[in-house]
């Protein structure tokens, strides 16, 4: 009888420890999924869906402006990422990702040299659409026949557990995603 009791205790202990590790692993997986959802939506240009993963909510007018930005394809369409590590501590998480992104400094330098910035405002006048068209033409000129240089950056994304959902913390600095420090 003692033998069966001992075997039962050992089996229950193993199952209990497995349950604990799966719970942590599940939390870890959910935090990683929130970051992946954010990044995938950024890459696809689904900014409203991407920002649904943020703790701080953004006004709809922001998405209208962001959706029409001529630099979206250049900045976000070429992002590639890989989750490197994740760590859970109670109701907070840290997910490290390795991001391959365009070199912004080279893009800006190319734009500055190909566009007469000094009278860009005069050329565009008061028309936002005309200004966006001019920027789009300059971007097309800079990117045509050229491979856009990219670099790798490691970004750390901090998350909080809010209402049983992992969201990117409002304190998190997301500028590292594009290599801006």
């Amino acid at each position: 009888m003692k033998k069966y009791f001992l075997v039962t205790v050992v089996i229950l202990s193993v199952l209990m420890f497995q349950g604990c590790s799966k719970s942590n692993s599940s939390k870890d997986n959910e935090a990683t999924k929130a970051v992946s959802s954010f990044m995938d939506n950024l890459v696809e240009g689904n900014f409203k869906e991407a920002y649904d993963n943020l703790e701080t909510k953004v006004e709809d007018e922001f998405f209208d402006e962001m959706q029409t930005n001529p630099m979206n394809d250049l900045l976000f369409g070429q992002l590639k990422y890989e989750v490197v590590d994740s760590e859970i501590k109670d109701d907070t998480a840290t997910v490290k990702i390795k991001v391959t992104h365009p070199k912004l400094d080279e893009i800006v330098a190319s734009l500055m040299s190909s566009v007469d910035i000094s009278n860009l405002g005069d050329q565009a006048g008061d028309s936002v659409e005309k200004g966006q068209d001019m920027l789009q033409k300059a971007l097309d000129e800079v990117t045509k026949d050229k491979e856009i240089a990219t670099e790798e950056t490691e970004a750390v994304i901090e998350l909080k557990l809010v209402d049983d959902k992992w969201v990117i913390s409002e304190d998190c600095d997301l500028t590292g995603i594009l290599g801006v420090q």
Side-chain angles (χ1 to χ4, degrees), residues 38-137:
F38 176 74
M39 292 299 295
D40 289 343
N41 280 305
L42 272 185
V43 169
E44 294 168 10
N46 300 325
F47 301 114
K48 186 159 179 46
E49 290 82 1
Y51 281 74
D52 283 343
N53 291 287
L54 298 181
E55 178 182 18
T56 305
K57 298 307 170 204
V58 180
E59 299 294 322
D60 286 340
E61 294 80 35
F62 171 78
F63 299 111
D64 295 338
E65 288 178 26
M66 197 160 176
Q67 210 61 47
T68 59
N69 187 332
M71 293 191 63
N72 287 345
D73 283 343
L74 184 63
L75 295 178
F76 301 111
Q78 298 191 32
L79 284 180
K80 293 180 178 53
Y81 74 96
E82 169 188 352
V83 175
V84 176
D85 190 27
S86 60
E87 185 179 326
I88 304 290
K89 289 184 181 174
D90 300 323
D91 61 347
T92 62
T94 302
V95 177
K96 292 181 185 173
I97 58 175
K98 183 170 42 173
V99 184
T100 304
H101 55 84
K103 287 186 174 183
L104 290 179
D105 55 344
E106 288 185 20
I107 294 169
V108 170
S110 294
L111 279 172
M112 297 293 257
S113 66
S114 69
V115 176
D116 182 10
I117 300 294
S118 63
N119 67 356
L120 186 60
D122 294 335
Q123 293 173 24
D126 292 331
S127 169
V128 172
E129 290 82 14
K130 189 172 180 183
Q132 287 177 336
D133 287 343
M134 292 175 69
L135 180 56
Q136 185 63 57
K137 286 177 186 171

